[in-house]
Amino acid sequence: MPPPVAHSIIASSLSLPTAAAVSKLFTSSSTWTRAFFATASTLTLPSRNVMTATTATTSAFATAASNTATPTDGTSRTVNNRNMFTKLASWRPRRLSTLKQRSDSTSSVPSFTSSSSSHSAHSDYSIEGDRVQQPPSSRRRRRHFSTSKANSEGGSKLSSDRAQAAIKLLPSYLIDARAITQFSPSTPDGALQLSVAENQLSELPVKGMVGIMEDTKAGGIGTLGTKEMRLVDVLSQLASSNIARPSNEGAAAVHVFDTEMIYYQPTQGVPTLRAAMASYLQNLLVSPTHPDLPAKFDPENLVVGAGCNAVLENLCTVLANPGDAVLIPTPYYAAFEFDLVARAGCHITSVTTFDHHNSKVPESGAIRPEFYYPNRSSLDDAYARAVEETGRAPRVLLLSHPNNPLGICYPPAVMEECIAWCREKEVHLISDEIYAGSVYRKERSGEEKGEPTFVSAMALGSSSSDTSATQKGLGLGPYVHLVYALSKDFALSGLRVGVAYTENEEILMPLQKLNDLCQISSQTQLLVERMICAYAIKDDGDKSEKFTDVYLEANQENVRERCDALQSCLDDVGIPYLPADSGLFVWMDFREFLPVMSDGTTEATESVESREQRERKLYLSLMKEFGLLFTPGMSMRNERAGFFRCVFTAASEEEFELGLVRLRKFVKETRRSKSI
């Protein structure tokens, strides 16, 4: 990525005018998506004429750079960056230009990670402003080829600095996990993999479903059997179908390799799939809690890409410039650091919550769910730290809702507070709702008894906005966005189907174009469209329910039963945990089994290094001595050591039962050894 324009020149404004050729674009989007599309909209390149193309590109960039911008002080001034864009047009991408290498005698390649209030420097790179030069020691000459792995200046000639930096973004526990022998029929003493968020329960038959039907209006085209169908059976049948697209009734039949399927498709997804997906999301996210809401998902504002991480990265790319902060409440999904930093170049600032509630977090015993909820106090604190760390205001608040790794949903009041805060601060809220179809306890307990467990940000954001007849879409406004995928609710991570939804018109075209890099095949799109639109044939003959509804209900029951079995075991052995209501995991409190802290140290005052060291010892003991591979909490930036995420669906029934046996053994033997 070329070095970005100075941030002060392109201060975000939702009504900033740009070059005449690119009306309504891209003031709330990032600098380079605006420059790229300003160029693309005015440029027609002759094929096979590289010199002409280069000249035209240079001219178009220079023209696009001369425009009226709105600076941060609200005044208007004309900015001419012609010379800069002339240089830009001939620029060759070599490394992430927004990162500055800190002096580190132990490493010659950069590293990226996040920062929090207690550990603001995990990495070999820090973000300072929009344009940062790397030191001479890391620079390399251009157009010099050699088979040598390193040159005299210390850098590798076989890969870029950012290639090596991307590897450093991976959580360190993954290296340990890959080095250990894992359980299999041939290695029964191997470690049970309970750290990858996959759902093997999807392999079970769908309770009560014996057939699938694609077209009810045409009298029913489907297959009826006597055995309950599995998800893979449904997909196999739909993949071999050649009837008309379900969202385009009356059209000609279509097969996965018909002529229309082998050419370029719309980058944001074919219209019929987007229409089907919009209807599915309305039914999943809005209708259960807001059935009378007149606002609907608009298919034109929906982009379908290759997985949730791809569309999330693209969304952050068009909302934030390299080096801009993304706020994420802790603990968070560890791979966010790779997804948002490796190419988008964002800076992650942790939103720590424990010190922003009326009571103190207990040193032992269960930690209540509300301690993990973000509020205005925690968001204001993270905002201030982001400004200190990056020199400018954060651009995005990313919420995992339902939450990974906690296995709980934020209450509606918490989500409403976050939405209101973002709109006031002009920070973009991205709600990652990839587990929305895996909420298996529908009502809250305790003081919130009777309230729905999960209320989508799409429903809450819409209900607090203009939803008049003239309002397009849900009425979310420009600061509330969604990402979703089929990878968790349907265990279809191999299909790579993710969704981004936004009603910010200034980022929609850049988002669609960036999807060129992660588009889904036309064959996969057709299969997913058929699946979303299909109806289930029940064993009692009923054909009125969508397959997705029947499948999700059956899967939620299976997940709930598996979760109850794990939590019952934890109760039996006296291990505290966060009572789970959604997702595929339980957040367990193993602080009792950590190595002792040094004298005079408390959990609240313990250094990050000490937390990581103590937790790593426990993690390795669980994995190597007892064959239990959990996700360590410090890898997810948890505020206390000793917490682990157990993915209870990542195992077959036999493996899960073995895991419970091993867990009981660990608790018994570790407590006995500590008592000696």
Side-chain angles (χ1 to χ4, degrees), residues 112-123 125-127 325-332 337 341 347-356 378-390 604 606-609 611-612 633-640:
F112 314 81
T113 51
S114 67
S115 63
S116 69
S117 58
S118 57
H119 51 299
S120 60
H122 294 307
S123 66
Y125 268 85
S126 59
I127 311 298
V326 176
L327 310 180
I328 313 179
T330 58
Y332 56 73
E337 294 184 359
V341 177
H347 175 89
I348 295 179
T349 298
S350 300
V351 180
T352 53
T353 59
F354 282 4
D355 294 334
H356 297 275
S378 62
L379 294 173
D380 286 341
D381 177 68
Y383 187 103
R385 282 189 285 107
V387 171
E388 181 180 352
E389 293 162 1
T390 67
E606 185 181 14
S607 68
V608 174
E609 292 74 19
R611 293 179 203 165
E612 291 176 342
M634 290 301 294
S635 72
M636 298 180 162
R637 309 303 180 197
N638 195 44
E639 295 185 59
R640 299 287 188 271

Side-chain angles (χ1 to χ4, degrees), residues 38-231:
T39 303
S41 65
T42 61
L43 180 61
T44 301
L45 296 180
S47 61
R48 297 193 180 95
N49 192 330
V50 177
M51 185 62 71
T52 303
T54 303
T55 303
T57 304
T58 303
S59 176
F61 264 116
T63 301
S66 301
N67 59 77
T68 302
T70 302
T72 52
D73 59 7
T75 62
S76 179
R77 63 169 177 257
T78 299
V79 180
N80 191 326
N81 292 308
R82 188 179 186 88
N83 292 336
M84 181 189 66
F85 275 93
T86 301
K87 294 179 180 179
L88 164 95
S90 60
W91 185 89
R92 293 177 140 194
R94 294 201 306 159
R95 57 176 63 88
L96 288 177
S97 63
T98 59
L99 303 173
K100 180 179 180 181
Q101 188 174 21
R102 300 188 301 141
S103 56
D104 187 343
S105 60
T106 63
S107 175
S108 61
V109 293
S111 170
F112 314 81
T113 51
S114 67
S115 63
S116 69
S117 58
S118 57
H119 51 299
S120 60
H122 294 307
S123 66
D124 298 325
Y125 268 85
S126 59
I127 311 298
E128 296 182 9
D130 285 290
R131 303 184 69 175
V132 177
Q133 297 294 328
Q134 291 204 342
S137 62
S138 67
R139 297 175 186 162
R140 294 188 295 278
R141 292 188 297 263
R142 297 184 183 181
R143 297 184 297 275
H144 180 78
F145 300 93
S146 171
T147 57
S148 172
K149 292 186 178 180
N151 61 24
S152 59
E153 296 176 343
S156 172
K157 293 186 176 181
L158 302 183
S159 66
S160 67
D161 292 346
R162 60 181 172 186
Q164 299 304 314
I167 295 175
K168 287 193 173 185
L169 283 169
L170 299 174
S172 60
Y173 78 89
L174 292 178
I175 299 175
D176 300 319
R178 290 167 179 167
I180 198 73
T181 300
Q182 296 191 17
F183 176 88
S184 71
S186 60
T187 55
D189 295 328
L192 291 165
Q193 174 57 274
L194 299 171
S195 66
V196 177
E198 292 183 335
N199 182 11
Q200 292 193 23
L201 298 177
S202 66
E203 300 175 17
L204 299 175
V206 181
K207 186 176 181 180
M209 196 187 85
V210 295
I212 193 77
M213 182 167 54
E214 292 191 61
D215 187 356
T216 54
K217 293 184 180 180
I221 301 174
T223 301
L224 179 64
T226 57
K227 293 171 48 178
E228 291 178 332
M229 298 183 73
R230 300 172 301 160
L231 175 63

Side-chain angles (χ1 to χ4, degrees), residues 244-257:
R245 285 182 179 273
S247 300
N248 192 16
E249 294 175 1
V254 58
H255 193 267
V256 291
F257 287 109

